[in-house]
Amino acid sequence: MKSIILMLALCLILQDSMEDFTTENATNIQTAIFGTSYNKYVRPSATTIVGIELNLLSINEMDVKKQIMSSSGWLTIIWEDPRLTWNPSVYGDIKYIYTKQDKIWRPELIVDNSVEGMSPLGHDELFFKVNHTGEVRWDPPGHYVTHCDFSITYYPFDYQTCSVEVTSFAFTIEALTLNSTYDTVNTEDYKANGEWILHSSRVEEHFLTEHGEKFSQLEFKVTFERRAKYYVTNVIYPLVLVSLLTNLVFLLPADSGEKISYILTVLLAQAVLLTLIGNSMPTTSVETPIMGMYISFVLLMAALATIITTLNLRLYLRTDQKAVPRWLKAFTFLVLLRINCRTAKVKEDDKALVVSNEDTINVEDVNGKGKTLKRMLNRPSQTSNKEDARFPFQCKEVSAFLDCFFFYLFNIVLIITTLVFLLVLAVSDVPSS
């Protein structure tokens, strides 16, 4: 029984509220407040405080090359005009009406960092909601294409902060002051973007000075985080994998005849892959991304591996296998033997081949009597024999030592560089405060 009574009471209340509005009362309000005494070109006498809220709907595009952000949304703008007041009890208890902007004074607002013109906000067909207290609410929708300073140093693990700046250059701060309704951007109706994650937002109040006059400005800042999963699987992973293939050229035996063809194939694959990756990277010269520096380093290492492999094959295929350069002999004793865990002991076969300091030659004269000629070897021959005795390795063996040395060296350099590259990308960039 009580529920039925409550339902009847609610129906009576709704019926009374619907009967409050009549066309005649609304017309009388329009005539009363927009009479001859009201001039839409004259602002309110006191300083008008305008509260503004940005309602963000979507991010359409963020173009690093053009340095722009394209977004959609609307502004909720509220101010008070003491001339637009009435007593609701006199006009059928009507507390608010609607009117268009061609009949009412409004603050002239523009988006001053727009790159597609700086025309005032609003449209003649938009309605204003006017409350009986003089409060006016205006909700102009907009498609904002604004300038944005991008930072791509840590691409693709980067954060970008872009803004929509609203100001009025028609009225100074003595006539008009802009205040933010909330400390953040309203994102209740925001639609998620496939490339960017909405990280945070804030509102800042500024004052602009032009020709000695101050104007109020609101800056709605929005910070986005790039979705990096696509770039990890399609850019970073192939790039790191192909860069590590360079080291394998030093494991191929020189007798296989495939060392040069392999390293050239790897170099060509890197060039093609890096060309594709370069097309997906932001094209700007303001900043150089860390990934771009890593790409240049990978190409440099592949080019060095090609040069080293070519020179090492020349050493391996030398006709005179004992003709090892002196500097390479010294490098072999100091570095290569230690890396390859080898010693410089002379083999027994090599000892047998060493010529003595003197050669004894037996000859017979005409009478058949035997004579012995002892001929001393010349000095250069003695030096050569001593050097050969101290360095028992041939060019092929030294070439194998060099392959092992450069395999370890390239692995250490590339692995350390890759780890530093990934670590810097992952932890260095933070959203701006």
Side-chain angles (χ1 to χ4, degrees):
M1 187 65 180
K2 291 182 179 179
S3 61
I4 296 175
I5 295 174
L6 290 175
M7 290 292 294
L8 292 174
L10 182 59
C11 291
L12 291 174
I13 293 174
L14 292 175
Q15 184 177 2
D16 291 340
S17 62
M18 292 180 64
E19 291 177 353
D20 289 343
F21 179 82
T22 63
T23 304
E24 181 181 357
N25 288 332
T27 303
N28 292 335
I29 294 175
Q30 294 272 356
T31 304
I33 64 176
F34 297 118
T36 57
S37 62
Y38 185 86
N39 190 337
K40 66 177 182 179
Y41 299 111
V42 179
R43 68 174 179 86
S45 57
T47 301
T48 303
I49 299 177
V50 180
I52 303 179
E53 177 189 8
L54 175 61
N55 304 272
L56 188 64
L57 288 178
S58 64
I59 295 297
N60 306 321
E61 181 185 10
M62 295 185 70
D63 194 327
V64 179
K65 182 178 181 180
K66 297 180 180 179
Q67 298 282 295
I68 62 172
M69 177 190 72
S70 173
S71 60
S72 298
W74 77 90
L75 293 170
T76 299
I77 305 170
I78 300 176
W79 71 93
E80 290 187 0
D81 190 341
R83 297 171 295 176
L84 305 177
T85 59
W86 69 89
N87 188 352
S89 60
V90 177
Y91 299 98
D93 204 23
I94 296 178
K95 296 183 178 181
Y96 60 87
I97 61 172
Y98 292 94
T99 186
K100 290 189 177 181
Q101 68 180 32
D102 59 343
K103 291 185 177 181
I104 193 174
W105 177 89
R106 62 184 178 89
E108 185 182 53
L109 302 175
I110 61 173
V111 178
D112 63 351
N113 64 334
S114 174
V115 297
E116 290 188 346
M118 299 177 65
S119 58
L121 296 175
H123 191 273
D124 292 339
E125 297 301 323
L126 292 177
F127 279 96
F128 288 69
K129 182 180 180 180
V130 183
N131 197 284
H132 72 283
T133 59
E135 182 184 88
V136 182
R137 175 170 176 152
W138 179 30
D139 297 278
H143 174 69
Y144 313 110
V145 183
T146 56
H147 174 77
C148 184
D149 293 325
F150 288 91
S151 176
I152 60 170
T153 302
Y154 303 103
Y155 167 88
F157 299 94
D158 54 334
Y159 292 84
Q160 304 297 340
T161 300
C162 296
S163 63
V164 177
E165 300 173 0
V166 179
T167 187
S168 174
F169 287 112
F171 302 98
T172 60
I173 59 174
E174 289 79 12
L176 183 70
T177 301
L178 304 181
N179 289 340
S180 58
T181 307
Y182 300 99
D183 295 334
T184 59
V185 175
N186 188 349
T187 57
E188 292 181 357
D189 300 318
Y190 176 76
K191 306 300 180 183
N193 186 272
E195 186 177 0
W196 298 94
I197 302 173
L198 180 60
H199 182 270
S200 62
S201 64
R202 65 184 186 275
V203 185
E204 297 180 358
E205 299 179 1
H206 305 286
F207 294 101
L208 304 178
T209 302
E210 295 288 340
H211 304 290
E213 296 181 325
K214 286 187 176 182
F215 302 90
S216 184
Q217 182 193 60
L218 288 181
E219 186 176 6
F220 299 90
K221 290 189 173 183
V222 186
T223 300
F224 298 94
E225 178 185 0
R226 191 189 299 269
R227 298 181 188 270
K229 184 181 298 184
Y230 168 84
Y231 298 95
V232 170
T233 57
N234 294 276
V235 176
I236 296 180
Y237 173 71
L239 175 61
V240 173
L241 184 63
V242 173
S243 66
L244 296 178
L245 294 179
T246 303
N247 308 330
L248 300 181
V249 68
F250 300 111
L251 293 182
L252 285 177
D255 293 334
S256 65
E258 299 293 335
K259 292 176 72 73
I260 292 296
S261 60
Y262 174 82
I263 190 59
L264 290 179
T265 302
V266 171
L267 183 61
L268 180 61
Q270 287 185 357
V272 174
L273 177 62
L274 300 183
T275 300
L276 298 177
I277 293 176
N279 293 333
S280 66
M281 292 180 59
T283 54
T284 177
S285 299
V286 178
E287 293 180 355
T288 301
I290 295 178
M291 182 176 291
M293 293 186 286
Y294 181 75
I295 289 174
S296 301
F297 175 77
V298 168
L299 282 177
L300 176 62
M301 295 298 288
L304 288 177
T306 304
I307 297 174
I308 292 171
T309 301
T310 303
L311 296 178
N312 201 18
L313 283 177
R314 286 180 56 86
L315 177 66
Y316 182 87
L317 298 175
R318 273 195 173 185
T319 304
D320 186 1
Q321 287 292 307
K322 289 293 185 180
V324 180
R326 290 186 178 181
W327 67 268
L328 191 52
K329 292 180 180 180
F331 186 71
T332 301
F333 283 126
L334 294 175
V335 178
L336 298 185
L337 292 180
R338 297 179 182 180
I339 293 177
N340 289 269
C341 301
R342 296 288 298 273
T343 60
K345 293 182 179 180
V346 181
K347 300 178 182 179
E348 295 298 329
D349 295 340
D350 294 334
K351 291 181 179 180
L353 295 176
V354 176
V355 182
S356 62
N357 291 337
E358 296 181 352
D359 285 345
T360 302
I361 303 175
N362 296 323
V363 298
E364 293 183 358
D365 58 6
V366 178
N367 299 325
K369 296 181 179 180
K371 292 184 178 180
T372 302
L373 291 179
K374 184 177 290 187
R375 179 170 55 85
M376 299 296 295
L377 297 176
N378 55 23
R379 188 173 300 274
S381 177
Q382 295 177 5
T383 304
S384 176
N385 293 333
K386 291 180 181 180
E387 289 181 356
D388 291 342
R390 292 196 303 268
F391 191 82
F393 303 108
Q394 297 182 351
C395 292
K396 290 184 178 182
E397 295 175 291
V398 176
S399 175
F401 295 160
L402 287 173
D403 276 339
C404 183
F405 167 74
F406 284 113
F407 175 75
Y408 291 141
L409 178 63
F410 271 60
N411 269 292
I412 293 173
V413 173
L414 279 174
I415 290 176
I416 293 178
T417 304
T418 301
L419 291 177
V420 172
F421 161 70
L422 296 176
L423 183 63
V424 169
L425 284 184
V427 303
S428 294
D429 195 22
V430 293
S432 58
S433 57

